[in-house]
Amino acid sequence: MGLSASPLSLKDQLAFYGAYHTNHVNVLIHIVCVPLIWMTALSLLLTSEVGLHKIISPLPMSVQAHLLDLDAMFSASLPANVYQHMNMASWIAVCYWIYYAMLDKTIAILFAPLWTAFYASAFYLAHNNPHAGTISWSIFIASWAAQFYGHGVHEGRAPALLDNLLGAVVLAPLFVFIEVLFFLGYRKDMQIELKNETGRRIKEVKQAQAQAKHAKAH
């Protein structure tokens, strides 16, 4: 069950993602690499110089005019050190967090300081290191490679993104944060419920694979 099936069900979304991450080594790799991928992705956006004009260029002229007026209002009314954070990276981060809040307000609030720190780290790297692009690309690619290694060697199952790209990309940061919360003893009832649901989904996948092999053999 992917993101489109039950977009506002935390249980369904985490069970979908969790079914692809049951091996402890693979989960640990993701806990390290997912934040690195997220921060370097933000850093790459911040160094890409993709401005508002390029983003809105495919939109109708009337819509572009309203967005440019809004941007001009922000530029005129906000201090420069605040307006500089009105960028594509920050807006994407805000949209992610809003979605997490729709799934579970308490978890989203707990995640907010760390989520802000991720953006702040990316912003600092992008604006204070002349080699930010090279550093970000190197960490980004190495982190993805490590995750594929975790799936191929330890999990023995393809990553979730091969079945549901949007669900995997959107859910990954929240999933690893909740994994850490669970390790710290957060909401044992939710842990048990998700473990049972994840087990059920894995059983269904194995049964489907076994049936497919049987049908192929005959």
Side-chain angles (χ1 to χ4, degrees):
M1 185 177 293
L3 184 68
S4 59
S6 300
L8 298 180
S9 170
L10 179 65
K11 174 185 172 182
D12 285 343
Q13 297 311 314
L14 292 183
F16 155 74
Y17 198 82
Y20 294 79
H21 305 87
T22 58
N23 178 270
H24 293 306
V25 175
N26 190 38
V27 170
L28 181 59
I29 290 172
H30 281 65
I31 288 174
V32 174
C33 291
V34 167
L36 291 176
I37 289 171
W38 174 248
M39 286 185 285
T40 52
L42 292 178
S43 177
L44 290 168
L45 282 174
L46 290 164
T47 57
S48 67
E49 299 182 355
V50 177
L52 178 64
H53 288 79
K54 182 176 288 189
I55 297 171
I56 68 175
S57 58
L59 301 175
M61 292 299 296
S62 59
V63 177
Q64 290 186 39
H66 286 300
L67 291 175
L68 289 172
D69 288 343
L70 185 63
D71 182 64
M73 180 189 73
F74 284 136
S75 178
S77 59
L78 295 175
N81 63 340
V82 175
Y83 178 71
Q84 67 180 335
H85 296 294
M86 304 289 288
N87 54 63
M88 193 160 99
S90 67
W91 283 116
I92 290 174
V94 167
C95 289
Y96 266 57
W97 187 86
I98 289 173
Y99 175 62
Y100 296 160
M102 293 171 69
L103 289 173
D104 191 294
K105 293 182 178 63
T106 302
I107 292 176
I109 291 171
L110 292 173
F111 201 9
L114 186 58
W115 199 242
T116 304
F118 289 160
Y119 170 79
S121 299
F123 188 87
Y124 181 85
L125 174 62
H127 289 85
N128 291 276
N129 193 309
H131 306 294
T134 301
I135 294 171
S136 295
W137 273 118
S138 299
I139 296 174
F140 185 83
I141 293 171
S143 296
W144 272 111
Q147 291 196 134
F148 277 102
Y149 162 80
H151 277 282
V153 175
H154 297 283
E155 191 73 44
R157 186 179 182 187
L161 62 87
L162 298 183
D163 288 338
N164 189 304
L165 176 62
L166 182 60
V169 171
V170 173
L171 288 173
L174 182 66
F175 175 79
V176 298
F177 178 69
I178 292 178
E179 280 292 322
V180 174
L181 289 181
F182 284 169
F183 177 77
L184 296 175
Y186 181 78
R187 290 179 66 174
K188 291 289 187 180
D189 58 327
M190 178 187 284
Q191 293 186 49
I192 295 171
E193 187 177 4
L194 284 173
K195 184 177 181 179
N196 291 337
E197 178 63 16
T198 298
R200 183 187 67 80
R201 292 176 185 233
I202 292 173
K203 184 178 180 181
E204 288 180 352
V205 170
K206 289 182 177 179
Q207 288 176 342
Q209 291 173 341
Q211 290 173 358
K213 287 182 180 180
H214 180 75
K216 187 176 180 180
H218 293 78

